[in-house]
Amino acid sequence: MERRADAGPRLTFLGAAENVTGSRYLLEHGGARVLVDCGLYQEREFLARNWDPFPVPPASIDAVVLTHAHVDHCGYLPRLVHDGFRGSVVCTPVTAEVAAVVLEDSAKLQVEDAAFKRKRHTREKRTGPHPEVPLYTPEDVEAAAALFAPTPYGAEVRLGGGLTATFRDAGHILGSASVLVGCGQGAAPRLLFSGDVGRWDKPLLNDPEPAAQADWVVVESTYGDRVHEGGGSIKEQLAAVIADTRRRGGNIVVPSFALERTQEILWYLAELLEERRIEPLLVFVDSPMAVRVTDIFERHPEILDAPMREALARRASPFRFSGLKMIRTVEESKAINGIKGTVMVIAGSGMCTGGRIKHHLDANIARPESTVLFVGYQAVGTLGRQIQDGSPEVRLFGRMLPVRARVESIPGFSAHADREELTRWLAGIARAPRRVFVTHGEPEAAAAFAAHLASRFGWQATVPRYGDVVSLTC
């Protein structure tokens, strides 16, 4: 794909098109190339795309703009740097801080997983595909971190080629943002990228800032075809799962994203214990990354919502309580599965695609007394989705295991806006945009949300496919 010298903006969908990971959008204008989000694919069906040569030479990209620090939005960045990208990485200050931790953890997991697979394939006398070598290394992460250009909410930053970017609080995770991209001066087109939109009246973070007026909108649709279930409060459901598993004498295994979700679980557990609605319980956060992210939460009260700031003022931390053990080493992690009695293990990855959660599933998934508790979205094709959808057996470490553990989900934990919340966010756009591109959703969800926008607002809404190129002409 040759670099364009003309002035007309052009948008290419290189990820999160009819799927929910690998978020990557290439915007070209005035001879400049800007990549909005640089995420890893996590669904098994699309993993090969992480290894494919990038569609344009990474060295030709002038800047990367990150909406937030989830790995499906930032996790490909070290590979892009490895392959030649040397531009600036523009994001909010907290995203820069968190992404450095997330990417360091991602590199470590990839190195460990590649080594494990090489050993297994040698034992099985067969060869494996790309994952036998890591996609990138900790050295690539260091090189990527050196390119971060932290930019606060509301400040306009120049990207090159007449493009500018302004961050607005998306309320999704710590430091998350939607991005308003200007394509020139005066009445020139403006393009709004939603990133991932959060929810209203959730603990920890501020509500999402309404969508900015824009000529073109790229909006996520993870839950664009549904409304989050009620079914009682999160605390009530969490307390019920703990009590039921304790009666059965098993463990509660929680696949959880280290960023925001783990901290929210700890917040609710601390409240349940303080209110004496659950008995004292050993809780292990088996994720060095989650431990470090929790520290970041505690260092940045200025971007937390008012109730959380009040909680921080009342006590040293709302994320710490008696019985909580923060696990850092592999030896500590292995020791957990030798403990007798009911414990809760919170570990990554959130979709069970790698990391320490797979070892805890290996120890518990065939035990009918244990519970696997999902507190986040599980993409199609991931191990987590297979378990959540009721698969009778799953593959772990090269062997099939029966799923005998009880499988529970608490959808209220979701950090993604549902159909009505996305609609509420988009209602901030007073004048109809020229076109809305619905992305970051499975095909059915994206199509349903596009139809909803056409019905609700009368907007032209379409679902782009991977590789689609659109000229943003006036």
Side-chain angles (χ1 to χ4, degrees):
M1 189 184 294
E2 295 182 0
R3 183 188 284 265
R4 303 173 75 231
D6 58 64
R10 183 172 73 177
L11 182 64
T12 305
F13 296 90
L14 300 179
E18 296 187 308
N19 68 288
V20 295
T21 64
S23 183
R24 308 171 191 171
Y25 310 104
L26 180 67
L27 181 62
E28 299 172 277
H29 179 65
R33 280 178 169 158
V34 171
L35 189 64
V36 178
D37 277 341
C38 190
L40 276 182
Y41 283 94
Q42 293 173 288
E43 301 103 314
R44 187 180 299 274
E45 178 184 357
F46 302 115
L47 288 179
R49 291 181 184 173
N50 292 330
W51 297 89
D52 291 341
F54 204 72
V56 300
S60 73
I61 299 172
D62 298 280
V64 172
V65 179
L66 298 181
T67 61
H68 62 287
H70 272 151
V71 75
D72 59 328
H73 290 259
C74 75
Y76 186 78
L77 182 62
R79 180 68 183 199
L80 199 74
V81 172
H82 175 88
D83 290 342
F85 172 71
R86 295 296 181 269
S88 58
V89 180
V90 182
C91 57
T92 67
V94 176
T95 291
E97 193 171 343
V98 176
V101 175
V102 170
L103 294 175
E104 181 182 321
D105 184 77
S106 176
K108 181 180 177 183
L109 289 177
Q110 289 186 60
V111 170
E112 289 176 353
D113 286 349
F116 185 87
K117 287 182 179 180
R118 282 198 305 272
K119 185 185 298 184
R120 195 180 82 218
H121 292 160
T122 299
R123 185 176 66 249
E124 296 172 355
K125 297 181 179 179
R126 66 184 181 91
T127 59
H130 295 298
E132 285 195 357
V133 296
L135 188 65
Y136 50 80
T137 66
E139 290 74 25
D140 297 318
V141 171
E142 288 182 17
L147 302 177
F148 281 109
T151 303
Y153 292 116
E156 185 179 88
V157 60
R158 294 181 181 180
L159 304 173
L163 296 171
T164 62
T166 305
F167 292 119
R168 299 165 65 86
D169 194 342
H172 173 60
I173 63 170
L174 200 67
S176 64
S178 59
V179 186
L180 183 64
V181 177
C183 301
Q185 300 297 318
R190 299 201 302 174
L191 177 60
L192 177 64
F193 294 88
S194 71
D196 286 350
V197 180
R199 306 181 66 191
W200 279 258
D201 302 320
K202 292 279 287 180
L204 309 189
L205 303 179
N206 291 315
D207 291 343
E209 193 174 351
Q213 186 66 51
D215 301 282
W216 310 86
V217 179
V218 179
V219 63
E220 66 120 326
S221 59
T222 308
Y223 287 104
D225 61 344
R226 72 199 78 172
V227 176
H228 291 308
E229 299 174 16
S233 75
I234 289 175
K235 285 202 296 186
E236 290 170 353
Q237 294 175 75
L238 184 58
V241 168
I242 292 170
D244 179 66
T245 309
R246 192 191 292 274
R247 281 194 298 271
R248 299 199 314 273
N251 296 322
I252 306 136
V253 178
V254 187
S256 180
F257 299 103
L259 176 53
E260 196 270 335
R261 193 62 43 79
T262 293
Q263 291 76 34
E264 191 174 352
I265 295 169
L266 297 180
W267 160 259
Y268 283 118
L269 286 171
E271 287 206 327
L272 286 169
L273 287 165
E274 189 175 8
E275 297 164 4
R276 298 187 177 182
R277 294 172 62 180
I278 60 172
E279 297 178 23
L281 178 74
L282 273 178
V283 177
F284 298 94
V285 175
D286 191 11
S287 166
M289 180 172 68
V291 174
R292 294 174 65 186
V293 170
T294 301
D295 292 339
I296 293 173
F297 262 88
E298 293 168 345
R299 286 201 303 270
H300 289 280
E302 74 279 1
I303 64 171
L304 301 178
D305 64 5
M308 184 54 60
R309 290 196 302 272
E310 292 170 6
L312 281 168
R314 290 198 311 269
R315 53 189 178 186
S317 171
F319 309 117
R320 317 276 177 166
F321 50 84
S322 177
L324 174 63
K325 309 292 182 184
M326 296 291 198
I327 302 299
R328 289 176 170 83
T329 69
V330 173
E331 290 72 22
E332 290 174 320
S333 176
K334 290 179 179 178
I336 294 172
N337 291 315
I339 296 174
K340 303 299 183 184
T342 297
V343 303
M344 176 180 283
V345 183
I346 304 168
S349 71
M351 297 185 192
C352 309
T353 54
R356 294 182 179 180
I357 190 64
K358 294 180 75 173
H359 294 276
H360 296 297
L361 288 172
D362 188 57
N364 285 278
I365 202 162
R367 300 178 61 201
E369 62 269 29
S370 289
T371 299
V372 179
L373 174 61
F374 290 105
V375 294
Y377 186 80
Q378 304 300 307
V380 170
T382 62
L383 174 60
R385 183 63 170 264
Q386 293 172 37
I387 298 169
Q388 190 178 52
D389 282 350
S391 177
E393 60 179 9
V394 293
R395 185 179 179 86
L396 275 164
F397 303 120
R399 58 199 175 94
M400 300 303 295
L401 291 178
V403 180
R404 297 196 184 106
R406 185 164 297 183
V407 178
E408 300 282 358
S409 298
I410 302 181
F413 270 110
S414 176
H416 279 275
D418 63 15
R419 183 190 65 209
E420 299 308 308
E421 291 163 327
L422 285 169
T423 303
R424 176 178 177 178
W425 182 75
L426 287 166
I429 301 175
R431 186 178 66 255
R434 301 175 193 274
R435 194 168 168 191
V436 177
F437 304 102
V438 181
T439 63
H440 212 281
E442 291 167 11
E444 298 80 6
F449 192 58
H452 171 74
L453 293 179
S455 173
R456 173 68 172 78
F457 296 116
W459 293 350
Q460 182 183 0
T462 57
V463 180
R465 294 183 175 181
Y466 177 75
D468 278 358
V469 181
V470 179
S471 293
L472 307 179
T473 55
C474 297

